[in-house]
Structures are given as structure tokens and as C-alpha cells.
Amino acid sequence: MDASTLSAGLISGSSGPLYQRLAEGLRDAVRRGEAGAGSKLPSERDLARLLGVSRTTVIGAYRLLREEGLLESARGSGTRVVASGRWIGPAVPAAALPSGKLPGEPAAGVVDLSGSVVAGPDVVPRLASDITDLHALTTDFGYQPLGLPSLRAQIAARYTRLGLPTTAEEVLVTSGAQQAISLLFTLFGRNGGVIVTENPGYVGALDAAHAAGATLLALPTDAEGIKVGPLRETLARCPVSLLYVMTTCQNPTGAVMSTQRRTEIARLAEHAGVPVVDDTTLADLVFEGRWHPLPTAASGVTIGSLSKLFWPGLRIGWLRAPQALMTRLARLKVVADLGSSHVGQQLASRLLPVSEDMATARREQLTARLDLLTELLRTRLPTWSWARPSGGPFLWVRLPYGEAETFAQLALGYGVQVLPGARTSPDRGFADHLRLSFVHEPATLRVAVDRLGKAWAAFQSGHDAGHLRPFVTA
Ligand SMILES: Cc1ncc(COP(=O)(O)O)c(C=O)c1O
């Protein structure tokens, strides 16, 4: 295909990273039939020249569309369209669907510091092999949307031990904490319901709010999490439906909210009649002490998960909510999937009793790896800055200058994937920040920082993707 055929309106929309806007423009061209299945696209260099964008932008757009299965590239024969327009579905407003790479295995040779996923510890397969009585398991009624009663009781007992008296009826088992967020945001955010979150915040919650059609208001944070002043003003002037916070190990900053701040937030929300959701998915990873439920938790909602202590592949999370909310949430759970897998829940029942030991082990491992990462960064990238997190798997880093999004594209070319700060912010703020996870083995962290150092040197000296060297695989 001649490059000029594709040029008109190929950069779609006016906000968001350029490579994603170009990817959407290319999807549109495929939808319109301008680039049918089998047609060859211009080379990265030609398209970059034609559109007046950097080659990094075109590389990013082509990579995204290859991951979606829309394009394929082969050495020597260029990049071709694989699917025909009919199969890619209608255009969806950019904000309504999460963009970027799907979670999962990084490309071969790439170290992924963008997420917090690691292989499950040995205890998972050991306890899984204990589930021998599948006959007993499969005789109970298969659809239990609220979750297995025994697991719900165990989760309730755990909350009660943490100082929040809870009954099994107040617990709904979900497919990971992500589903708990989606159910709540669907209930409170539909028809533009206003959901207040922290800025920066958890990417998956922002995506869930957009997908639910909610109006998202992201408020500034400091070293303790969401700031009281802006929250007070917002609650006074806006019909807020829901407040979503992470009081312990905020994602991405790793902040832990003080008792005084918790009390103030709880009082403000209660006074405004707004339910508060405390997402405590990362809370077991707090470095010092134990985490405590928000004072509003009895009337609000708490979200938890086994993903960070054990393994995300379990897909076991939950929400604890007052019974008045439970029936409606359970109905949404039925619509979503009729209930979580019983086999996964049986395994979760066996894992919960060892969660304290697991938390201790994870904390020790994470603090050692955080120490290593910060030491490596201080040596290799002395101009980068950060505040030490109080817990969680992430370091929230500030670059001295430049767009983190562009740097992240460049870094991928050097074999390391990082999350640019703009992804954590609905107004695409924090454009000079990166979220780096430190869950990996020490040797992997060393390789990652070495690659980041090389990528930063290239970024600094104004190299663009045209000068990129191949992946460093050592
Ligand atoms: C704050 C927060 N909430 C929810 C999730 C999703 O967790 P799950 O794997 O339980 O769906 C994550 C995952 O990183 C998270 O960081």
C-alpha cells in the first residue's frame, strides 16, 4: 500500500499518547476498508516521515496493533494487515477501553517492571495438590454467586481479627479485586455517576470507571494519600456517588494514610453521605506494622485479594460491604460470571490460614529488593528521584526532565518495560513519572537497571528510535 493513501486523518483524536492515537487511526483505516486483510503497510520510517512524527511513534503503534492481532510483521517482508475490518468491532471512545499492552507475559527478552506479577510461591502448588476430594467438591450446587460459604466465613473472620467485626453475609467473593472494583463502579458510576479517586491512582480502577461510563474526579495526593482540603471542597460542590481510596500501600506511590487522615476522610464522607471504598489489595505488603480498616469500613466497602500475597492466577478477591448493598452487588456478579470458580475458592480456603506467614516472607523479600533497586538507581541514574514507599511492590520515580511516555517507548527498545506516570492519571498528569516494580529477583533487577541506564543515556543524547540498538539480552 502506498503510504499517501493512509495519510488523511491517521492520527485520531486530540489527547493521549501519539502512538495510541496513530494506532486508533490505523484501526479506523482497516475498518473503513482502506487497508484490507493482506495489504502491506508503509515501512516505519516512511510512515513517520509522511506524518511528521518520530519513528518511535510508528514503532509503538505497529507494536500495539501486532499485540492485538491486527497486524503482523516479518523480517524482509514488512508489516501487513491480518484481520479484515469486520472483525475488529466498532470504534469505541478511546477513554472507554483500557489502552496499551494487555497484562501478561512480556515479549521475549523483555524485563517487565510495569506490573507486580511474579510466579506464585511453592505453597500454592503444595496446597493445590491437597485438593484430592474433587468428588465432594463437585457435589455442591455449582452456582454460588456470593462465593463458597466456608470461604466467606474465613474472610469475615479475618476482618474481625483486624478489628472490623464482619459476618459471612457481608462478604462477596470476586474474581480478583479487579472484579470487585468493576462491580462497585458499575453500580455507582452508571449514567455518569461521580466517582472520586486519588491522582495518581490505580490504572485498573481508572479503566473500570471509564468502562462503567462514570464521571471520574481524581484529587491530588501527598505523602499520606488523598488530600483533605480538595476532598472537602469536592464533596461540598459535587453530587459524588462514591469515594475510592487506597489507604494502605497506595498504588502507585506506596503511601500509607495516617490515623488522623483516615479519621478526617471518614468523617467528611459520612457527613456528605458518600460511601467510601478502601481498596486494600496491596495492604498485606505494608513494610512496618499491620494494616487497619478505615473507620468508615463498617458502613463502607473494603476490597481485598490473594493476588499479591500468593498469585494473581488464583483470581480470588473479595469485597466486604454492608448487607444493604450486597443484594445489588450479587446481582451484578451474576451478570458478570454467575460466580467465581469453586476450585479456586477451595484453594483460597487452604491458603488463607498461612497468609500471615506469607505476608512476613513477602515483606522481607520486597524490602530487600527495594533496597537493591534504589541502590542501583542511585548509582546508575543519579538524577532520578523518589520518596521511599511505605509498602507495596512499586517505586514511584520522577525523571529530571522529558516525557516519561517517550522514555518508556525507548526503554522497551532496550528490553525493559515500565509504566509511564500518565497512565495513572485521568488528566494524564505525572507525565514526568515512571512506576517501577521491584518484585523481581536481584539478578533481574540488575539487568533492568542496566538497560534503563542505557535507555536513559540514549534519551538524554537525543537519540530517537532510528538509532536504537537491538535488545540487550545479557
Ligand atoms: C490497588 C489494586 N487493586 C486491585 C488490583 C487487582 O488485583 P486482582 O489481581 O486481585 O484483581 C491491583 C493489582 O495490581 C491493585 O494494585
Side-chain angles (χ1 to χ4, degrees), residues 347-365:
L347 181 49
S349 271
R350 285 161 167 77
L351 291 170
L352 267 176
V354 296
S355 55
E356 277 304 316
D357 293 345
M358 199 58 221
T360 308
R362 281 270 195 236
R363 274 178 221 141
E364 276 170 20
Q365 188 187 58

Side-chain angles (χ1 to χ4, degrees), residues 229-254:
L231 179 63
R232 185 184 296 111
E233 280 164 34
T234 305
L235 290 173
R237 75 180 156 77
C238 272
V240 175
S241 303
L242 195 71
L243 170 61
Y244 167 88
V245 289
M246 289 162 276
T247 56
T248 314
C249 309
Q250 205 264 2
N251 183 348
T253 63

Side-chain angles (χ1 to χ4, degrees), residues 14-32:
S14 57
S15 65
L18 211 50
Y19 77 97
Q20 285 176 13
R21 289 165 53 203
L22 174 59
E24 185 51 23
L26 286 164
R27 274 186 216 103
D28 268 344
V30 174
R31 271 188 205 103
R32 288 194 300 265

Side-chain angles (χ1 to χ4, degrees), residues 115-117 174-181 201-205 244-246 248-252 279-283 303-308 311-318 393-394 435:
S116 58
V117 175
T174 55
S175 296
Q178 186 63 36
Q179 189 181 49
I181 298 170
Y202 166 51
V203 179
Y244 167 88
V245 289
M246 289 162 276
T248 314
C249 309
Q250 205 264 2
N251 183 348
D279 181 350
T280 65
T281 299
L282 299 176
I303 292 175
S305 169
L306 291 188
S307 287
K308 305 299 159 175
W311 184 45
L314 292 166
R315 305 311 303 132
I316 295 291
W318 55 84
F394 303 120
R435 194 188 73 180

